[in-house]
Amino acid sequence: MYDYILDKKELQLDLMKQNFDIHEKYKRELEQLQIRKEKLQRIRDVYDQYDKLRVTVQEQEYVIRRLKLTLEEEQLETCRKQLAEMEDRLRGMEDEMALAAMKYEEAKAEAEQALTRWKSHDAVKRAGELERQIEEWSDGLERLKQELNAARRALEGERQLVAQLVDWPGNDGWTLRSDDRANLTSGVEAMSTAIRRMEIMLDSDPETEIFVDDLGELMQRIMDLGTQLGQIHEQLLIERTRAEERVRALADRMCELEQVIRDLENKKRPYPHSVVQLKRVLEERLNGRSPVWIFCEEMEVEDEDWRNAVEGYLNTQRFDLLVRPEVFAEALSIYEREKYRLQLEGVGLVDTEKEKRFFQTAEAGSLAEALSTDNPFVRAHIDHLLGRVMKAADEQDLRRHRTAVTRTCMVYHNMVARQMRRQQYELPYIGAKAIVRQLEMKKKELAETSKEHAHWADIHRGITGWTEKLTDKKARMERLGGQLALTSQLADTRRRLAGAKSEFERLDLSEARRLEQAYHDWQSEVERWNNRRMDLGKEMGVKEEERRNINAQIYIQNNKVKDARQVLDSWVAEYDPGLLQGALSRWSDAEKQDLPTYRKLENWQNNQKGNATRRDDTRSELQKLRLQFNAEHLFDGPEAAEDNDAYDAALRTVADINIPDYQDKVEKALKDSEEEFKSHFVFRLREAIEMAKREFHELNYALRNFPFSRDRYFFEVTPREKYRRFYDAVMNPMLAEKGSLFDLPDHDSSETLHELFEMLVRGEAGDMEEFTDYRSYLDFDIRVHSDDSSYSFSRVLREKSGGETQTPFYIAILASFHHLYRTNKTSRLVVFDEAFNKMDERIQSSLRLIKQLNLQLIAAVPDEKMQHMAPEVTTTLIVTNRNYRCFVDMVDRADIAEFLAIEDDDAGAGVTGSGDDEDGTREVVWQDELF
């Protein structure tokens, strides 16, 4: 009904929005004028405050500069006074310096005379000589004591060392002989005696006489001990060399064993060097044409009881090399060419070509049976070497054979029995088990060698230790023996020192002491006046420096006064001359202050800083206001200008504008917009709603004469609850009588229309489309009257049967077509497929309604609907589908009865024919009497 019965009607809002936009424009301009005026006035006020602070700071700057000049002049005067006082003080100090110099010279002359009298006295001379001797002999005595004590400590160390050597039991490398031990013991006793003599001498009273009649014998015994220690040292050097060689040989053997063990662990046997070299050369030259076999690697010992016999009998033949017969001659030539260069000696190269004839020729019971191999060339070599060497049960069994051997390695050949050397078979080489056995043996040998190496290393360390301790002992013992003579020198020095001290104590030095005191008294006077002279010189130097500094300061201060005067004079050039009168007034106030100049300067500077800070803050605020005004109002005024001319001009321009004219324009634009809203939108909306009601009234008039069974249907149009308040305000009958749209006596209606007006002129496009469509303000339904009851179709839509729900549908559809074809210039065609499929007796009422609405109907329905539709239509077409081919038959009213009778006889609606391969359906097309 919303989309097909009622047309969408455009309500033009352009003029209303244009008038409202004009109103808004004038309103905004008025507001902007007020804002511009207020902001410009604020800029003017802040600028006045800034200008006042700026003038104050400039006037204070004059006072500060003049105070600085006054302060510099005062400091210059102070410096001049200090210079005058300094010059007076220097003149006084020069007089004092002359007096001190005179006194110094007098005291110096007297001191020299007193020194001469003192030093020329005989007792003084002798006392000086004795003091020098006492000092010299005292130093000599201390030196001798130190040397003797050092010799005693050294001798004690040597005594302990020799005692340790006597007690050392020796080792497997070297042991002290008994006669050497006895001599060393005697030497230890001699050193002990000498040490006791030294200690007695060091502790003896100077008056005590010490007789050392046997001193020469002790010295000789100690020197002889040094000679013996030198001989022992030479013996130890020889034994140390032997021990080093033994340790080195054992270390080399350990390295060899470790390498052999690594090779064995990698399945590599330790062969003689010639074997390895020849095998390598043959492999390189034959270049893969034949393997190079080592005899022992290519066979296995089957009976371990006979391993030693086989290993020992073959001996070096175990390392024979074999090649294929076809390359033997070439291999032999290679051997011949390289034997000297590579020192290839003792290596067997088997002639496998000729030896083939020995293959499997071994006698039963021969030693060849103890070995097995898969290599036929190796087998031939085994049979050749061992095929006739018989295995004997014991030594007696040997004699039964030409050549035989026992398990214990006794060999019998050419009627001679001989036991094999152990080294021939001790290290096994034949077969894989030989590697395991060799590995065990080498590891065992390595352990024993390592143990022996550690033992000889201990022996070497012991011998090396004593060798180092006994180095240079012969010279050292001779030196220590010679130092025994210090005891007699010490006794002689003590006697001389005692005699000198005794004589010094007997001297009469009373007169000498008096002369000495007189000399020292005059010397004190010399020092006193010299110190006074030096102090005055230093003080005068300081004062001279201070005078130079004052003169320099006066020079600097004169320049400062000139600079301060120039700065003061430049004030007039820097600032407006009109400010001078105010600046002089402020200077007069400063002169009246009863404060020192520097205090006045501090006060004025602090006050100026405060004013300058307020000035800068005010200027920042002024620039901020100007920037904000320029940005908001697109004004190009200079925000950093010192004057305010541009903004004052703008303020005068705004102040001259006629504000009441703007207010009249705003009111007129609003009134025009309201009138457009009232005359066009509201009245047109009201007219569209009333027209919709009339159109549904006409449809209801057509429906009242067409009952459907016991039901009658009517269209119901009501205000939509969502927009009910807008609907009531628009439909208010008092709206046309008032001059203004918003002057209704009903306050709620006036507020509602105002809200609607605001949404239309300020809302989004989607909101305007919703509120300008009159259909949005209405709700549509179908009212059903049945006997004495009445209900809305929308409330029972899901509760009724199919026919009851389809009837309102067809009513709504037919109403839509009626609205669509409301002009008679169209064919008014209505086409339905599967029409009225859930309706029965309501079909005829629907068809009559179609005729009442003057509509042309074409309906396609199943044939079971014929009985309901045939009486109401004029043309009937039957469409039959047989085997996917359609046939159309026209039926008139006379044939309808017969057709209906056939329908009753058919098993299914519209089904005719029989057979498995034939299927037919029929459909009836009805056309009413308009065509």
Side-chain angles (χ1 to χ4, degrees):
M1 289 189 287
Y2 183 91
D3 293 326
Y4 299 107
I5 299 178
L6 298 179
D7 292 332
K8 181 178 180 181
K9 296 180 179 180
E10 295 291 339
L11 300 178
Q12 297 296 328
L13 298 178
D14 296 341
L15 183 58
M16 179 181 69
K17 287 183 65 66
Q18 182 179 357
N19 291 333
F20 185 77
D21 291 341
I22 295 173
H23 161 260
E24 289 295 305
K25 176 184 176 184
Y26 289 153
K27 183 178 180 181
R28 285 193 301 270
E29 289 180 355
L30 180 60
E31 293 174 352
Q32 287 297 320
L33 285 173
Q34 293 289 354
I35 293 172
R36 283 165 64 90
K37 183 177 181 181
E38 293 173 0
K39 290 183 177 179
L40 289 170
Q41 185 61 47
R42 173 61 180 163
I43 290 173
R44 174 73 254 178
D45 296 341
V46 173
Y47 175 77
D48 291 342
Q49 183 180 0
Y50 161 73
D51 187 60
K52 181 178 179 181
L53 289 169
R54 179 172 58 84
V55 170
T56 301
V57 170
Q58 292 173 355
E59 292 175 350
Q60 289 176 333
E61 179 65 20
Y62 174 83
V63 176
I64 290 171
R65 292 186 183 186
R66 193 160 181 178
L67 284 172
K68 287 182 178 179
L69 174 60
T70 303
L71 183 61
E72 297 297 341
E73 290 174 344
E74 291 176 354
Q75 291 179 352
L76 177 60
E77 185 63 26
T78 301
C79 291
R80 287 172 177 169
K81 290 180 180 179
Q82 291 176 351
L83 179 61
E85 294 174 358
M86 184 63 62
E87 289 177 346
D88 291 342
R89 176 61 181 154
L90 282 172
R91 285 191 292 272
M93 292 178 70
E94 289 174 355
D95 295 340
E96 292 181 11
M97 175 64 78
L99 177 62
M102 182 183 68
K103 294 291 184 180
Y104 169 75
E105 293 296 334
E106 292 176 356
K108 184 177 179 182
E110 291 292 337
E112 291 176 352
Q113 294 175 6
L115 178 62
T116 301
R117 289 191 295 271
W118 175 41
K119 294 295 183 181
S120 61
H121 196 273
D122 293 338
V124 172
K125 292 180 179 179
R126 181 56 183 166
E129 294 175 357
L130 291 174
E131 286 178 346
R132 287 193 296 273
Q133 292 176 358
I134 290 171
E135 182 180 2
E136 179 182 352
W137 289 335
S138 296
D139 293 341
L141 182 63
E142 287 301 320
R143 184 173 62 257
L144 288 171
K145 284 184 178 181
Q146 292 175 0
E147 292 177 359
L148 187 60
N149 191 39
R152 181 190 63 80
R153 289 195 301 270
L155 196 59
E156 175 62 24
E158 297 300 328
R159 186 190 68 77
Q160 294 177 2
L161 179 64
V162 175
Q164 291 175 3
L165 180 60
V166 171
D167 295 337
W168 183 48
N171 52 39
D172 294 343
W174 184 82
T175 303
L176 189 66
R177 295 180 301 179
S178 58
D179 55 342
D180 290 337
R181 195 180 302 274
N183 292 333
L184 291 177
T185 301
S186 176
V188 170
E189 293 174 355
M191 287 191 291
S192 298
T193 302
I195 290 170
R196 285 193 299 272
R197 298 287 177 87
M198 290 179 177
E199 291 175 347
I200 292 171
M201 196 64 191
L202 288 171
D203 297 337
S204 295
D205 188 282
E207 300 297 332
T208 303
E209 291 187 2
I210 305 215
F211 299 96
V212 285
D213 297 335
D214 57 348
L215 185 62
E217 181 183 354
L218 282 175
M219 293 171 60
Q220 187 60 45
R221 290 175 64 184
I222 292 173
M223 291 178 182
D224 293 343
L225 177 62
T227 302
Q228 185 179 5
L229 290 174
Q231 295 172 355
I232 293 174
H233 178 257
E234 291 176 358
Q235 296 174 13
L236 288 172
L237 285 175
I238 295 171
E239 296 302 326
R240 184 180 69 176
T241 302
R242 292 175 181 174
E244 286 178 354
E245 292 175 354
R246 182 61 177 166
V247 169
R248 190 179 302 110
L250 291 171
D252 294 342
R253 181 56 183 164
M254 288 172 61
C255 292
E256 293 175 3
L257 289 172
E258 289 172 353
Q259 182 61 43
V260 170
I261 290 171
R262 285 194 293 271
D263 292 342
L264 289 173
E265 288 175 345
N266 293 325
K267 307 303 180 183
K268 182 179 179 181
R269 293 174 174 85
Y271 296 117
H273 179 72
S274 297
V275 175
V276 176
Q277 286 289 88
L278 182 56
K279 184 176 185 296
R280 179 183 61 80
V281 171
L282 291 176
E283 287 175 342
E284 290 176 357
R285 302 292 176 83
L286 295 177
N287 196 21
R289 286 178 289 135
S290 171
V292 180
W293 297 293
I294 299 178
F295 184 39
C296 63
E297 292 182 357
E298 300 302 318
M299 55 186 172
E300 294 289 341
V301 177
E302 294 296 327
D303 189 349
E304 288 294 325
D305 291 341
W306 290 96
R307 172 179 288 279
N308 289 344
V310 174
E311 298 273 2
Y313 191 86
L314 291 175
N315 197 5
T316 58
Q317 290 179 314
R318 293 175 293 183
F319 312 136
D320 290 348
L321 300 180
L322 296 88
V323 296
R324 295 185 183 277
E326 59 270 20
V327 299
F328 172 74
E330 182 182 354
L332 184 59
S333 299
I334 295 171
Y335 192 181
E336 175 65 21
R337 288 194 302 270
E338 300 293 337
K339 63 183 180 181
Y340 296 120
R341 186 177 68 86
L342 300 177
Q343 297 180 356
L344 303 177
E345 299 176 352
V347 186
L349 180 61
V350 179
D351 188 350
T352 51
E353 184 178 7
K354 290 185 177 181
E355 205 175 39
K356 290 189 293 183
R357 59 191 179 88
F358 292 100
F359 181 68
Q360 293 183 347
T361 61
E363 297 181 8
S366 67
L367 198 58
E369 293 180 347
L371 298 173
S372 64
T373 181
D374 295 331
N375 191 324
F377 309 113
V378 176
R379 182 79 258 176
H381 195 47
I382 293 172
D383 292 347
H384 179 208
L385 296 179
L386 303 176
R388 289 168 179 76
V389 180
M390 308 305 293
K391 294 186 290 184
D394 51 33
E395 71 281 1
Q396 297 301 322
D397 192 33
L398 290 170
R399 301 176 65 194
R400 296 177 53 248
H401 309 287
R402 177 179 175 81
T403 304
V405 63
T406 64
R407 290 183 178 88
T408 60
C409 299
M410 177 70 75
V411 180
Y412 183 82
H413 181 63
N414 291 336
M415 294 177 288
V416 177
R418 182 181 292 107
Q419 177 64 32
M420 298 179 191
R421 287 176 298 175
R422 186 178 184 85
Q423 64 182 16
Q424 292 180 223
Y425 60 81
E426 185 177 28
L427 190 62
Y429 277 90
I430 299 174
K433 293 182 180 179
I435 295 178
V436 177
R437 176 61 180 156
Q438 280 194 35
L439 192 59
E440 293 176 356
M441 294 172 66
K442 294 302 180 182
K443 287 183 177 179
K444 181 179 179 181
E445 183 182 355
L446 177 61
E448 294 173 352
T449 305
S450 177
K451 183 177 180 181
E452 186 179 1
H453 177 270
H455 175 67
W456 278 98
D458 291 339
I459 293 173
H460 178 265
R461 281 193 294 272
I463 295 174
T464 301
W466 280 111
T467 303
E468 293 174 354
K469 292 177 182 178
L470 298 180
T471 301
D472 295 331
K473 288 302 178 185
K474 181 179 180 181
R476 182 171 176 78
M477 297 304 291
E478 289 177 355
R479 187 169 58 254
L480 290 175
Q483 287 181 336
L484 285 175
L486 293 174
T487 56
S488 59
Q489 295 178 18
L490 182 63
D492 184 60
T493 302
R494 279 178 174 169
R495 285 193 296 270
R496 292 180 181 180
L497 180 61
K501 287 182 178 180
S502 177
E503 184 181 357
F504 184 80
E505 291 175 356
R506 291 194 302 271
L507 284 175
D508 183 9
L509 299 175
S510 58
E511 181 64 18
R513 292 191 184 94
R514 186 187 65 78
L515 294 174
E516 181 183 7
Q517 183 61 42
Y519 165 72
H520 288 306
D521 291 342
W522 281 110
Q523 191 65 30
S524 298
E525 284 295 309
V526 171
E527 292 179 358
R528 185 170 71 85
W529 286 109
N530 184 54
N531 291 336
R532 177 58 180 164
R533 189 182 60 168
M534 297 299 292
D535 293 341
L536 284 171
K538 292 179 181 179
E539 187 176 358
M540 289 178 67
V542 172
K543 296 300 181 181
E544 285 289 344
E545 181 66 25
E546 290 180 359
R547 182 171 64 178
R548 286 192 295 272
N549 292 338
I550 293 173
N551 283 325
Q553 190 173 358
I554 290 173
Y555 175 79
I556 294 171
Q557 200 62 34
N558 279 322
N559 292 332
K560 288 184 178 180
V561 170
K562 293 178 182 177
D563 294 341
R565 193 176 303 280
Q566 290 177 358
V567 171
L568 177 62
D569 294 341
S570 67
W571 183 90
V572 177
E574 292 178 13
Y575 300 109
D576 186 2
L579 300 176
L580 180 59
Q581 190 63 35
L584 292 174
S585 176
R586 292 183 184 274
W587 169 249
S588 178
D589 294 338
E591 285 184 317
K592 295 176 183 177
Q593 293 177 342
D594 187 14
L595 291 172
T597 304
Y598 76 91
R599 181 66 65 187
K600 293 180 183 179
L601 180 60
E602 290 178 357
N603 294 341
W604 280 86
Q605 285 178 333
N606 292 334
N607 188 267
Q608 187 198 37
K609 287 180 181 179
N611 289 329
T613 300
R614 288 189 290 274
R615 177 202 62 191
D616 295 340
D617 293 342
T618 306
R619 180 175 178 79
S620 298
E621 182 183 2
L622 178 62
Q623 290 186 354
K624 183 177 180 182
L625 290 173
R626 287 174 173 178
L627 284 171
Q628 184 178 1
F629 181 83
N630 293 348
E632 292 178 356
H633 301 286
L634 301 178
F635 188 68
D636 60 350
E639 63 274 4
E642 285 295 328
D643 57 65
N644 202 51
D645 296 344
Y647 297 91
D648 288 342
L651 178 60
R652 289 191 297 272
T653 302
V654 174
D656 294 340
I657 294 176
N658 191 349
I659 301 300
D661 288 348
Y662 265 86
Q663 291 177 340
D664 293 340
K665 291 179 180 179
V666 171
E667 292 176 358
K668 183 179 183 303
L670 179 60
K671 184 176 181 182
D672 293 342
S673 179
E674 290 177 354
E675 289 299 325
E676 178 64 22
F677 179 65
K678 176 179 177 182
S679 62
H680 179 79
F681 178 76
V682 176
F683 288 159
R684 294 284 183 86
L685 179 61
R686 182 172 181 172
E687 180 182 350
I689 293 173
E690 290 177 348
M691 186 177 294
K693 289 182 177 180
R694 287 196 297 272
E695 191 164 350
F696 278 105
H697 179 72
E698 293 176 3
L699 290 173
N700 288 335
Y701 180 79
L703 288 172
R704 67 182 178 180
N705 296 321
F706 296 96
F708 295 83
S709 184
R710 297 189 305 275
D711 299 335
R712 290 181 181 275
Y713 296 88
F714 299 96
F715 288 102
E716 185 178 50
V717 181
T718 58
R720 182 174 294 183
E721 283 302 321
K722 180 179 179 181
Y723 303 116
R724 181 63 180 260
R725 56 195 184 93
F726 297 125
Y727 175 88
D728 292 341
V730 170
M731 303 304 291
N732 192 332
M734 298 296 294
L735 185 63
E737 300 177 5
K738 294 297 178 179
S740 175
L741 178 63
F742 308 108
D743 291 341
L744 295 175
D746 185 358
H747 179 71
D748 293 339
S749 295
S750 178
E751 289 294 328
T752 301
L753 290 174
H754 183 75
E755 180 182 352
L756 180 60
F757 176 75
E758 289 292 325
M759 286 190 293
L760 290 174
V761 297
R762 300 182 188 276
E764 300 294 334
D767 297 336
M768 293 178 60
E769 183 177 354
E770 181 178 4
F771 286 105
T772 57
D773 191 344
Y774 71 96
R775 296 172 294 181
S776 301
Y777 298 90
L778 299 174
D779 270 338
F780 308 97
D781 206 343
I782 296 177
R783 193 72 181 176
V784 182
H785 294 275
S786 179
D787 297 335
D788 296 334
S789 63
S790 175
Y791 58 87
S792 296
F793 174 67
S794 60
R795 295 182 180 179
V796 298
L797 178 61
R798 300 184 182 276
E799 301 174 3
K800 296 296 183 177
S801 64
E804 292 176 314
T805 58
Q806 277 206 344
T807 301
F809 169 75
Y810 280 102
I811 292 174
I813 292 298
L814 293 173
S816 299
F817 277 111
H818 175 69
H819 177 73
L820 180 64
Y821 298 143
R822 57 183 177 273
T823 174
N824 290 326
K825 296 181 180 180
T826 67
S827 61
R828 305 176 66 79
L829 180 63
V830 178
V831 181
F832 288 141
D833 186 24
E834 297 289 337
F836 314 115
N837 58 344
K838 294 183 179 180
M839 297 173 59
D840 42 24
E841 68 274 4
R842 290 182 174 84
I843 294 177
Q844 292 180 347
S845 299
S846 299
L847 294 174
R848 292 171 187 168
L849 178 59
I850 289 172
K851 293 179 180 180
Q852 178 67 26
L853 296 177
N854 198 24
L855 298 174
Q856 171 65 61
L857 173 66
I858 297 177
V861 299
D863 51 9
E864 67 264 18
K865 300 296 183 180
M866 289 180 62
Q867 59 181 340
H868 300 292
M869 298 185 64
E872 301 297 334
V873 300
T874 57
T875 303
T876 302
L877 299 176
I878 298 177
V879 181
T880 305
N881 181 7
R882 292 182 179 274
N883 295 329
Y884 303 103
R885 296 183 64 186
C886 295
F887 303 93
V888 180
D889 299 316
M890 181 176 291
V891 184
D892 57 15
R893 289 179 180 274
D895 298 330
I896 289 177
E898 180 183 355
F899 177 78
L900 293 176
I902 294 174
E903 284 292 316
D904 293 336
D905 294 337
D906 288 340
V911 179
T912 62
S914 62
D916 296 336
D917 58 348
E918 188 176 57
D919 182 15
T921 58
R922 287 181 293 184
E923 187 172 9
V924 182
V925 180
W926 303 95
Q927 183 176 352
D928 67 9
E929 60 187 3
L930 293 178
F931 277 27

